[in-house]
Amino acid sequence: MRRKFSVSALRWARSGTLLLAAATLLALGGCATQVVNDVSVFHEWPANVTQPSFTLVREPEQRDSLRHAAFEKVVRSELIRAGFSESAGARFEIRFDFVTGRSLRRVFEEEPFGAAFFWRTYGLPHYPWRFGGTLDLLDMRARMAHDELFYERALRIEIRDRQVKPPRLVFEGNAVNDGAEEDALEGLRMLMRALLSEFPGPNGRMRRIVIEVPR
């Protein structure tokens, strides 16, 4: 029986990621968006496979799903982009599960003291401020907090070698990402791109793959 998974089951601890991502986006100045993907793979990939041929296989509950069909188009295009070729008599069969979720998170940002003073003066929501590293008034910062809705996405892929009877599992990969954008297909595209990075990739290691997407 194949294992089922959920977003929460694949979510790794990502403390500090939101602050780091906010700082990165500010530094990029609107030129690109960074998508952070957490990836782990385990494999026993056959030697001397230069252009692996594949076919996508559906589980019974996925057979008549238009949603899964849309996901398949993304998975297929990213596999071909990575050097795979699709054929009826393919050596490898590929199954995947893709799930999405959403959650509210508390995000902290640092603003110049003047901004916090404006909010405090004019009665808009404000939060406690703190001093910076020196006594210079210009170095004071306000630490602001607000809740943001994040969309979470998790992907699991299994690849089996059909040259072995019964077909043998040779690759399994898990990847998660999240962001403020609701576009599930684009989120899946980034997960596939991260999983196929340096394919088959380091065995048994968790990696953080950052992909820049032009705006």
Side-chain angles (χ1 to χ4, degrees):
M1 181 179 295
R2 296 181 63 244
R3 289 172 288 177
K4 298 296 180 181
F5 71 99
S6 64
V7 170
S8 58
L10 290 179
R11 188 185 301 142
W12 289 292
R14 305 176 80 171
S15 60
T17 301
L18 298 183
L19 282 172
L20 177 61
T24 303
L25 290 178
L26 286 173
L28 288 172
C31 297
T33 299
Q34 287 194 333
V35 180
V36 180
N37 306 270
D38 287 327
V39 171
S40 74
V41 299
F42 294 86
H43 63 81
E44 295 178 358
W45 194 250
N48 303 320
V49 178
T50 56
Q51 188 179 25
S53 57
F54 76 94
T55 185
L56 294 175
V57 178
R58 294 189 185 187
E59 294 301 311
E61 64 272 17
Q62 299 170 337
R63 213 154 276 162
D64 297 321
S65 170
L66 294 177
R67 183 174 184 267
H68 191 79
F71 297 156
E72 276 186 339
K73 292 179 181 178
V74 176
V75 169
R76 180 180 292 109
S77 68
E78 289 301 315
L79 285 167
I80 293 172
R81 180 179 182 272
F84 286 69
S85 61
E86 187 174 23
S87 66
R91 175 173 177 175
F92 299 100
E93 62 180 37
I94 299 179
R95 292 177 168 85
F96 72 91
D97 286 327
F98 176 59
V99 296
T100 60
R102 60 183 184 177
S103 65
L104 274 177
R105 300 185 196 171
R106 179 57 56 93
V107 178
F108 296 92
E109 297 177 359
E110 286 193 346
E111 297 286 350
F113 177 70
F117 178 76
F118 175 86
W119 292 338
R120 181 183 296 275
T121 302
Y122 291 96
L124 297 176
H126 63 274
Y127 299 88
W129 56 269
R130 61 182 177 83
F131 285 96
T134 72
L135 295 179
D136 188 343
L137 291 177
L138 295 178
D139 194 43
M140 288 191 298
R141 296 290 185 270
R143 195 163 189 252
M144 319 307 294
H146 63 276
D147 292 329
E148 281 191 14
L149 182 62
F150 277 78
Y151 296 91
E152 302 163 332
R153 297 165 286 263
L155 172 67
R156 178 180 177 83
I157 279 190
E158 294 180 351
I159 303 179
R160 285 178 167 80
D161 188 352
R162 286 177 157 183
Q163 285 191 355
V164 182
K165 301 298 181 182
R168 183 170 67 93
L169 183 65
V170 294
F171 179 91
E172 60 181 34
N174 295 317
V176 294
N177 67 25
D178 56 30
E181 299 295 329
E182 191 177 1
D183 191 343
L185 296 180
E186 188 61 23
L188 173 59
R189 190 181 311 280
M190 296 299 102
L191 290 173
M192 280 296 299
R193 204 158 290 185
L195 267 178
L196 296 173
S197 174
E198 301 176 11
F199 185 86
N203 195 15
R205 284 178 49 197
M206 290 185 183
R207 295 182 294 156
R208 176 156 288 182
I209 308 294
V210 180
I211 300 174
E212 287 195 4
V213 182
R215 290 193 172 187

